[in-house]
Amino acid sequence: MSTPNPMAGSMDGSFPNPPPSVSMKTFTIAGISVTVHGLDELSQRVQRIACLWLLHPRLQTQKCMAPLAAATLHHWNKSAESGKVGLLAVSFDQRNHGSREVDPLSNEAWRAGNERHAQDMFSSYQGTSMDTSLLITYLSSYVFSSSNRQIDTNIVLGVSLGGHAAWQCLFHDPRISDAVIVIGCPDYLSLMSDRARLSKLPSWTHSSFPGTHFLGSRDFPIGLIKAVEAYDPAGMLLGRPSSSPRTFDGHAPPAVEQARLLPLLQQSLRGKRILNLSGGADKLVPYKCGQAFIEWLNLAVATDGWFAGGVHLEDLVFEGVGHQMSPDMVSNAIRFVAETLRSKVAASTPKI
């Protein structure tokens, strides 16, 4: 289960390669080296600013997100609406990656000899979610230190490990109103149970019914389960799965369970827009591992669903695509960001 760069080849096809260049400026914020893309291209007349937070894959660095930043900014800056809402893109190295790397083995999987793969990966990208929130708090004070301009819209786009983190960003920071999740998973318990099965861990295989003792073993300790139930979307809302992968029976939860869930959904997702992009042939982060949660959420937020929270959810699976951000995914991500920004413009335009 090797992990090639999921961004390799993402700009092939109908996109200029390399994409049009945009300015890049580096700021050190809270000890993190942060790259801001597109600052020089902002019109001085634009007061409303949106920020696209780009979260890179595992074993990569923020550098691999630069072409996507350039393509997205170039697309938006050509639009008429860019005169009303400006767009920046921001990238930084995730914890224990790139300039922040401390222990290379901690980024590896079980098969590569990392016995604490489950703890390391979850804590790493939960940390990325926390770092994103921290940087949202301070970014405008660095990039607009001599003006009154503020960032009033935050969109997160994450790929693979960054996609896992993007789900947490969306659920835990009310300032993040929109998310593009690329080959990420909202259900860590299902994802890692499937990975333990494929890795043939003794904690998975050494039981009369395989997998019975995995959750709570040294490979997935009780302390990690508690963290997942506190921060992971499926862990928060659905708890531990009764099967691997998790299944969904297609029914709304009973009234007593809805009473517990509604405040959580209200706080986490009300009015937010989500684009979930998955590869139908992805073996590293299989769509099936998050499918039950996505179906459950789709039922909840549907027009006639039991959570009337104004959530927009698109779930696109690209058949034949493995663990990569394909050119079609890039097209849809750029399209979604532009549609999101246009909706912000329309919402603020006075009706005559």
Side-chain angles (χ1 to χ4, degrees):
M1 217 180 321
S2 60
T3 309
N5 180 6
M7 302 303 294
S10 63
M11 306 307 293
D12 293 349
S14 59
F15 300 95
N17 196 0
S21 62
V22 296
S23 62
M24 293 189 292
K25 295 186 180 298
T26 301
F27 300 84
T28 302
I29 306 175
I32 302 172
S33 181
V34 177
T35 301
V36 180
H37 307 255
L39 189 59
D40 288 349
E41 288 78 9
L42 280 181
S43 168
Q44 292 300 314
R45 298 189 300 273
V46 175
Q47 294 300 307
R48 295 190 61 196
I49 310 297
C51 185
L52 176 65
W53 296 87
L54 298 170
L55 310 180
H56 66 76
R58 183 167 65 93
L59 303 179
Q60 305 303 318
T61 70
Q62 63 164 312
K63 184 178 179 180
C64 75
M65 305 301 284
L68 179 59
T72 307
L73 290 167
H74 181 71
H75 180 82
W76 178 249
N77 289 341
K78 291 191 303 180
S79 70
E81 294 90 345
S82 65
K84 297 181 180 180
V85 174
L87 178 63
L88 298 174
V90 173
S91 60
F92 60 95
D93 287 333
Q94 293 206 51
R95 296 190 182 198
N96 201 39
H97 285 73
S99 61
R100 305 173 73 187
E101 186 178 75
V102 177
D103 177 20
L105 181 61
S106 295
N107 291 330
E108 298 290 348
W110 285 307
R111 284 184 172 179
N114 181 14
E115 296 180 352
R116 297 186 179 90
H117 174 44
Q119 300 97 305
D120 285 339
M121 189 162 75
F122 191 79
S123 61
S124 174
Y125 75 75
Q126 189 205 339
T128 295
S129 172
M130 296 168 68
D131 288 342
T132 304
S133 291
L134 177 68
L135 294 172
I136 287 173
T137 298
Y138 291 103
L139 181 65
S140 62
S141 70
Y142 282 79
V143 298
F144 301 130
S145 57
S146 59
S147 76
N148 293 324
R149 292 200 285 187
Q150 295 288 318
I151 297 166
D152 63 9
T153 297
N154 290 283
I155 306 167
V156 64
L157 187 159
V159 182
S160 190
L161 182 73
H164 307 334
W167 274 112
Q168 289 203 16
C169 290
L170 184 72
F171 265 74
H172 294 287
D173 195 325
R175 297 170 298 180
I176 296 174
S177 56
D178 315 272
V180 180
I181 294 103
V182 184
I183 54 176
C185 186
D187 190 343
Y188 195 67
L189 293 172
S190 286
L191 175 65
M192 299 309 282
S193 293
D194 187 66
R195 193 168 294 182
R197 176 185 63 84
L198 293 172
S199 300
K200 299 180 180 178
L201 295 182
S203 59
W204 184 271
T205 60
H206 290 181
S207 57
S208 56
F209 186 81
T212 304
H213 303 307
F214 170 65
L215 296 179
S217 72
R218 62 175 295 177
D219 294 317
F220 210 106
I222 292 295
L224 179 57
I225 294 174
K226 291 181 178 179
V228 171
E229 290 176 339
Y231 297 105
D232 178 72
M236 288 170 53
L237 299 175
L238 304 182
R240 302 184 196 185
S242 57
S243 63
S244 177
R246 191 190 302 271
T247 58
F248 174 54
D249 62 9
H251 297 103
V256 64
E257 182 66 359
Q258 289 186 29
R260 180 187 72 86
L261 292 166
L262 284 171
L264 294 173
L265 290 170
Q266 183 83 5
Q267 179 180 350
S268 301
L269 291 183
R270 184 172 183 81
K272 297 190 177 186
R273 289 170 49 85
I274 309 165
L275 173 62
N276 189 54
L277 303 174
S278 305
D282 191 339
K283 295 181 179 179
L284 187 65
V285 183
Y287 178 69
K288 67 180 182 180
C289 292
Q291 184 174 3
F293 177 80
I294 294 294
E295 292 176 349
W296 179 90
L297 186 60
N298 253 322
L299 182 68
V301 304
T303 304
D304 58 349
W306 53 271
F307 174 57
V311 176
H312 173 88
L313 173 60
E314 288 185 56
D315 179 38
L316 304 179
V317 181
F318 296 81
E319 296 304 324
V321 174
H323 193 67
Q324 65 180 116
M325 186 176 190
S326 68
D328 284 344
M329 290 182 182
V330 173
S331 295
N332 276 278
I334 293 174
R335 181 263 308 168
F336 182 85
V337 170
E339 289 176 355
T340 296
L341 295 176
R342 290 191 183 101
S343 72
K344 310 295 182 187
V345 172
S348 63
T349 301
K351 303 296 188 293
I352 300 176

